[in-house]
Amino acid sequence: MQETAATAPQTGRPALILASSSRYRRELLERLRIPFDTAVPAIDETPQPGETPEATALRLAEVKARAVAAALPVGTGRALVIGSDQVATFDGHQIGKPGTHERALDQLRAMRGREVLFHSALSLLDTATGQTDTVDVVTKVRFRDLPDAALDAYLRAEQPYDCAGSAKSEGLGIALLEAIESDDPTALIGLPLIALTRMLLAAGYPLLAPQEAQP
């Protein structure tokens, strides 16, 4: 595991582990100003036959959390493991990460002037009980009807080839969007922080505890 916070968890705080290799999720979790580690879950992320986008996202979020929890060393104290997965769907089909400029341009061409649903699933596993709290946060995104030249210029400027939907709403990609509808503005970026903070507080994590005085 890689520790991404400046200090180890304070006494009485369970360890917090983000089961993800995504830099976007790591950057979002850093907004909460709490110590956490990251671990990459070794799982197969292929959708199962006949599986809905929502079911895929929910299943993979929990599988990621359980895979990382199962790999913790024997004797590890209580930990809260965060699993998350996002599946975009358009015309009933799942949209993956484009990987290349050409595929990203094809995605944006198909989606212009249309609505895309993003299922951002979140699962918090408590190793003390083995129980998970799992939720799917849905974001509706309507893309602007822009010409090929504008779509190509955007892709060359931001190169969002590791993003499902081929646009970064937190960056220049916002210019491609007509509207975003969601209960959680961070869900579209990859980690629903409103849902996560609710889960952490329900698990007894001292998210808003007073800071210890420095000597």
Side-chain angles (χ1 to χ4, degrees):
M1 290 188 297
Q2 177 185 359
E3 189 170 5
T4 58
T7 59
Q10 297 176 11
T11 302
R13 243 181 211 184
L16 193 63
I17 303 170
L18 176 63
S20 177
S21 61
S22 167
R23 63 185 177 92
Y24 305 112
R25 293 190 178 109
R26 185 178 67 249
E27 290 168 358
L28 283 168
L29 188 53
E30 286 172 348
R31 294 186 187 183
L32 301 185
R33 303 183 182 186
I34 52 179
F36 67 94
D37 293 330
T38 59
V40 180
I43 66 166
D44 180 3
E45 298 190 30
T46 305
Q48 296 179 350
E51 192 172 46
T52 66
E54 177 184 7
T56 297
L58 288 167
R59 176 178 60 83
L60 291 178
E62 183 168 344
V63 167
K64 288 176 182 179
R66 291 198 178 279
V68 166
L72 292 175
V74 175
T76 300
R78 182 190 180 207
L80 298 174
V81 185
I82 304 165
S84 187
D85 191 78
Q86 186 180 79
V87 176
T89 178
F90 171 69
D91 279 351
H93 300 288
Q94 294 191 23
I95 304 170
K97 299 174 183 178
T100 67
H101 181 89
E102 292 72 21
R103 290 174 182 168
L105 186 56
D106 286 342
Q107 281 190 359
L108 293 179
R109 282 170 172 162
M111 296 184 299
R112 59 185 162 195
R114 304 289 299 279
E115 184 177 86
V116 180
L117 295 181
F118 289 81
H119 293 273
S120 302
L122 178 68
S123 185
L124 184 69
L125 184 147
D126 189 337
T127 61
T129 63
Q131 299 299 308
T132 58
D133 186 357
T134 305
V135 67
D136 174 34
V137 180
V138 180
T139 303
K140 295 180 181 180
V141 178
R142 188 164 66 252
F143 282 76
R144 289 190 168 117
D145 189 357
L146 298 173
D148 284 3
L151 301 179
D152 182 77
Y154 163 70
L155 291 174
R156 295 187 185 282
E158 201 154 52
Q159 301 182 6
Y161 308 134
D162 59 346
C163 299
S166 303
K168 296 181 181 179
S169 63
E170 69 276 24
L172 180 59
I174 199 71
L176 275 61
L177 309 182
E178 191 72 42
I180 299 174
E181 298 178 28
S182 178
D183 292 333
D184 192 331
T186 57
L188 185 58
I189 306 174
L191 188 66
L193 291 183
I194 291 178
L196 178 59
T197 51
R198 174 189 61 77
M199 291 177 175
L200 289 173
L201 291 169
Y205 190 91
L207 187 62
L208 300 173
Q211 296 294 316
E212 292 185 352
Q214 298 297 317

